[in-house]
Amino acid sequence: MKQQVLQVHPKDNVLVALQNLKRGDRILWKKESYLLNDDIPAKHKFFMHDMQPDEEVIMYGVLVGKAQYFIPGGGLMNTSNTKHAAAPFAYRPYQYQWHPPDIARFAGRTFNGFHRKDGRVGTANYWLFMPTVFCENRNLDVIREALHTQLGYEVSDKYKQKTELLVELYKKGADISAAPLEISGSDVPTHRLFKHVDGIKFLNHQGGCGGTRQDAAILGRLLAAYADHPNVSGVTILSLGCQNLQTKQLLDDIKKHNPGFDKPLYVFEQQQSQSEEQLITEAIRSTFGGLIEIDKLRRTPAGLDKLCIGVKCGGSDGFSGISANPAVGYCSDLVVALGGKVLLAEFPELCGSEQGLIDRTIEEDAAKKFIHLMTTYNESAHRVGSGFEMNPSPGNIKDGLITDAIKSAGAAKKGGTSPVVDVLDYTEPATKPGLNLVCTPGNDVEATTGKAASGATLILFTTGLGTPTGNPVCPTIKVATHSALARRMGDIIDIDTGGIIEGEKTIEQMGEEILEYCIRAASGEVIPKAVQLNQDDFIPWKRGVSL
């Protein structure tokens, strides 16, 4: 019989429903019997005993909320009876003892990647277009359509074909409401001219001018990090000319990020061109020549210590912290034990888990940097009437994540259990092997944008509700928390961890399977769904209040 409930940590005073439970049901857990006072939907929690007003709610072994009034044992946790609460945190001398996982299965393994002169290894070979200012977005769109269509990077023409069918039906006076619009064919391009160029990517954005000078400076550092990304082999920059983020500043930022930067890079400034047509024509001509050159690059073996994996969750649910996130966390521990890098970000979604991360941080300065970033970030949110406690979305809450501390305790599981080797502010590069904390919002795209800027060459993205989010330069792998989602949204999901919920697989088994998928994705042997769909989401963080 499938297990009905789970106590995530021995200290917890709530149980998680693994399936829908009915009021009046009597639930057995570790020889104790619990009578349900409410219907408990799967993914939600009920209290193990009567809760008094202001009594602490414990889950994952940490404080995640407080009871707002008397709640009978067996009662459903909801936003009315439970409010966010998190334990205070501070630096303290602490000797963290880590027990690395068994890596025998992966010893000596390699992936086939693109080696860069500075020793980093990319998991893809991209050409990158970037504008210094939003005024150039339209020109990027024109270039994208031309290059993607003619060079074979267009995702699929099936929707064009569907529209053509509708046009024909309309012309014939037919009823379009029930007309079949089935089109055969693959979504994955098979006619690319440049077989060894994985994509031509475009960083459309809304910045570069009109905001604060600080916004422009941050954008410059972000674009520089993307130009220098291990998965990028060449860059085309489009500039208007009069914007805050001047081309010289961006080029200086690139050299500052990597003094040895030597990739082909072309710059075109519209206010210095004879016409829009000349600008676009020359940008296409130069880029075509660059594509010929980077198509000569080849994948060659690299050790797994060259992996840099960002871990992210979005569209999270009540199963995220007990299936997908812990499985990704075990994969993270494997990568760290093998000498690679792991990037854990989303600082609003670490609220309530700070002390555990601080105690795992090797260097005192790094721990204090984490405290400073968390504190000032939360304070800035409170100054405009918000705060980390406002992070959970309606979808999160509906599917069991009642407080931000619950969401955060589950989200932190993605980072595994290894020591924290460094704490990075937004756009700072990861240079130390091991687990790195990266300051980003919880917002899916702002977070993935920041992880790639810090050097992630693959992103593991867990989801319980489903999301198509991807990244232009960093292949993003979608990990479902339960099998129903993997079946229903199979066109965007790559890995199903539902076997953990069903009791068919352990977290360790699933973590090893995830790493096996990462090795294949890093080698170009399997293409994640977000990459297949050209789901190239990119949102720079302006350092305002974004949760």
Side-chain angles (χ1 to χ4, degrees):
M1 178 179 174
K2 178 184 172 183
Q3 188 171 300
Q4 293 180 300
V5 297
L6 176 70
Q7 185 182 26
V8 180
H9 189 279
K11 294 182 180 179
D12 293 356
N13 54 13
V14 296
L15 293 175
V16 183
L18 300 181
Q19 59 191 60
N20 292 332
L21 305 174
K22 294 292 185 182
R23 178 181 179 180
D25 286 352
R26 188 164 289 279
I27 303 300
L28 295 177
W29 176 254
K30 293 187 177 179
K31 299 181 181 180
E32 295 291 333
S33 176
Y34 302 93
L35 180 65
L36 299 185
N37 273 280
D38 298 294
D39 291 340
I40 313 295
K43 309 179 187 180
H44 283 259
K45 295 87 185 165
F46 65 88
F47 296 97
M48 299 172 69
H49 58 73
D50 292 349
M51 299 289 290
Q52 302 303 320
D54 207 39
E55 187 172 350
E56 294 186 346
V57 179
I58 307 297
M59 189 176 174
Y60 296 100
V62 299
L63 174 65
V64 297
K66 289 189 177 182
Q68 297 302 289
Y69 45 77
F70 173 80
I71 311 167
L76 172 71
M77 181 196 294
N78 56 46
T79 55
S80 173
N81 62 30
T82 305
K83 296 300 179 185
H84 168 85
F89 54 91
Y91 175 75
R92 60 186 182 185
Y94 192 89
Q95 297 298 317
Y96 180 68
Q97 298 295 318
W98 184 47
H99 303 286
D102 181 3
I103 57 172
R105 173 177 171 176
F106 299 96
R109 295 280 298 277
T110 61
F111 70 96
N112 288 320
F114 293 94
H115 291 247
R116 308 303 179 188
K117 290 182 180 179
D118 60 7
R120 294 178 298 166
V121 180
T123 63
N125 187 29
Y126 293 130
W127 190 279
L128 184 63
F129 277 81
M130 57 174 63
T132 57
V133 64
F134 56 79
C135 307
E136 293 300 313
N137 282 344
R138 180 263 179 191
N139 291 334
L140 257 70
D141 291 341
V142 171
I143 295 171
R144 177 194 290 113
E145 183 176 2
L147 293 181
H148 277 191
T149 301
Q150 296 303 316
L151 301 184
Y153 294 101
E154 195 173 38
V155 172
S156 172
D157 63 357
K158 68 181 178 183
Y159 298 111
K160 294 180 182 178
Q161 294 179 49
K162 289 175 186 285
T163 304
E164 289 173 3
L165 285 174
L166 288 170
V167 170
E168 292 301 316
L169 290 168
Y170 172 72
K171 288 179 177 179
K172 294 176 181 177
D175 179 12
I176 66 170
S177 61
L181 298 176
E182 297 301 320
I183 301 294
S184 60
S186 171
D187 284 340
V188 181
T190 58
H191 57 285
R192 290 179 178 172
L193 176 63
F194 300 113
K195 304 298 184 184
H196 302 284
V197 179
D198 295 305
I200 306 170
K201 301 298 182 176
F202 298 80
L203 300 185
N204 292 53
H205 59 78
Q206 303 303 314
C209 198
T212 66
R213 292 297 192 270
Q214 291 86 347
D215 288 343
I218 292 171
L219 177 63
R221 293 196 293 270
L222 177 67
L223 296 179
Y226 270 67
D228 188 46
H229 195 279
N231 291 353
V232 173
S233 296
V235 183
T236 301
I237 297 172
L238 293 191
S239 171
L240 179 61
C242 57
Q243 69 281 342
N244 287 350
L245 177 56
Q246 288 286 293
T247 300
K248 182 182 183 304
Q249 179 186 340
L250 175 55
L251 296 178
D252 288 345
D253 284 335
I254 291 172
K255 281 296 183 182
K256 189 178 298 183
H257 196 274
N258 183 358
F261 183 89
D262 62 351
K263 299 174 185 177
L265 185 150
Y266 309 122
V267 179
F268 300 91
E269 190 159 285
Q270 188 161 11
Q271 289 171 348
Q272 298 299 318
S273 65
Q274 296 176 9
S275 65
E276 175 247 38
E277 182 175 356
Q278 185 212 27
L279 176 86
I280 293 177
T281 299
E282 292 308 312
I284 290 176
R285 187 200 308 274
S286 296
T287 300
F288 196 94
L291 290 167
I292 293 173
E293 292 305 309
I294 72 167
D295 191 50
K296 297 174 183 177
L297 300 175
R298 295 293 183 270
R299 292 179 181 271
T300 54
L304 299 187
D305 61 306
K306 296 299 184 180
L307 289 174
C308 183
I309 296 181
V311 293
K312 172 77 179 81
C313 53
S316 300
D317 69 354
F319 285 161
S320 293
I322 59 179
S323 60
N325 289 353
V328 165
Y330 188 77
C331 175
S332 297
D333 282 347
L334 290 169
V335 171
V336 171
L338 289 161
K341 301 185 186 79
V342 173
L343 310 183
L344 175 66
E346 305 173 271
F347 276 23
E349 296 179 21
L350 297 178
C351 178
S353 300
E354 295 97 337
Q355 193 63 60
L357 291 168
I358 292 166
D359 290 344
R360 288 164 54 186
T361 302
I362 296 173
E363 300 291 339
E364 180 178 345
D365 287 347
K368 290 182 176 178
K369 182 177 180 180
F370 175 61
I371 292 170
H372 171 73
L373 289 169
M374 287 291 288
T375 302
T376 55
Y377 191 167
N378 198 20
E379 287 174 349
S380 69
H382 278 285
R383 281 196 295 270
V384 295
S386 190
F388 285 174
E389 67 274 11
M390 301 297 291
N391 176 270
S393 70
N396 296 152
I397 295 167
K398 179 177 178 292
D399 271 45
L401 299 178
I402 302 302
T403 73
D404 186 49
I406 292 176
K407 184 178 181 181
S408 295
K413 294 289 184 183
K414 303 189 303 294
T417 61
S418 69
V420 175
V421 297
D422 208 354
V423 176
L424 310 173
D425 203 352
Y426 186 66
T427 75
E428 287 185 333
T431 59
K432 297 180 180 180
L435 177 62
N436 294 257
L437 305 183
V438 183
C439 185
T440 75
N443 173 291
D444 290 351
V445 180
E446 288 175 325
T448 52
T449 297
K451 287 179 196 295
S454 288
T457 53
L458 290 175
I459 291 174
L460 287 169
F461 193 120
T462 69
T463 183
L465 305 177
T467 173
T469 304
N471 182 266
V473 304
C474 187
T476 302
I477 300 163
K478 293 296 169 37
V479 184
T481 69
H482 57 102
S483 298
L485 173 65
R487 290 190 295 267
R488 182 167 51 84
M489 300 185 75
D491 53 348
I492 65 171
I493 297 297
D494 301 296
I495 300 172
D496 175 16
T497 63
I500 296 172
I501 301 297
E502 301 297 325
E504 299 167 353
K505 293 183 179 179
T506 65
I507 288 170
E508 292 77 13
Q509 288 172 329
M510 201 68 245
E512 290 185 347
E513 289 185 25
I514 292 171
L515 181 52
E516 290 285 1
Y517 187 98
C518 287
I519 294 170
R520 295 177 62 211
S523 301
E525 296 172 5
V526 60
I527 309 299
K529 303 292 177 58
V531 179
Q532 294 180 29
L533 295 171
N534 275 349
Q535 186 76 41
D536 295 337
D537 301 311
F538 178 79
I539 301 179
W541 182 27
K542 291 185 176 181
R543 295 309 291 257
V545 177
S546 179
L547 299 177

